Amino acid sequence: VQAWRGPLGAPKDFEVGRLSIESKARRGAATPYVAISSEHQLDTTGVDVLLLCVYELDQAPDDSSEAATLSDIARRLHVSIMNADPGAAATFESLLMSAGFSWDDDYSDTKWVRGRELVYRVDTGFPSVTPASFPAGVLNVRYSVSLPDCEPFLLANDSLEPLLKGAADGK
């Protein structure tokens, strides 16, 4: 919860030590790209490791046992956080609100099922636009990144946890 910085206006969604994560969700059947909302999201300046985590979600029929609404997912996370660290649950609630989520809103019209999780290491040659890649005076750049062009940077799914643990331990 403490690592979730995106709702507070940070350029990357999560920061753990000198490791940052930009997280994106997309429909699995959609055109294979993700939208990047600023030139800072995939900028590696000031970080040792930058990961782009892409989570594929698809609309699911109401009767699917694996399907969940946005409220269901938020509720599960809240319960899990409350059980692990009750103090962090209030921070989570505040961050949810900052991200635009409200328990009063009705998110029940769409249920989602989780698909693939893709983790890319943003490194030299990664397809990105950063402040260093264009002239001074250009601001607020929005662009899309083709996921097939990111394939050389794809990490094994089981590599995320060790990277996070190392960053949390200061390694």
Side-chain angles (χ1 to χ4, degrees), residues 5-64:
R5 311 307 297 157
L8 302 176
K12 282 116 177 131
D13 291 316
F14 297 90
E15 298 173 3
V16 180
R18 292 188 48 87
L19 179 144
S20 292
I21 298 173
E22 183 57 35
S23 181
K24 300 292 181 184
R26 62 177 294 278
R27 289 183 183 222
T31 304
Y33 72 87
V34 290
I36 307 298
S37 61
S38 90
E39 66 274 21
H40 301 287
Q41 285 190 321
L42 299 182
D43 185 6
T44 58
T45 304
V47 300
D48 293 337
V49 176
L50 174 57
L51 304 174
L52 172 63
C53 296
V54 179
Y55 300 92
E56 293 183 350
L57 301 171
D58 288 299
Q59 261 185 295
D62 290 338
D63 60 351
S64 172

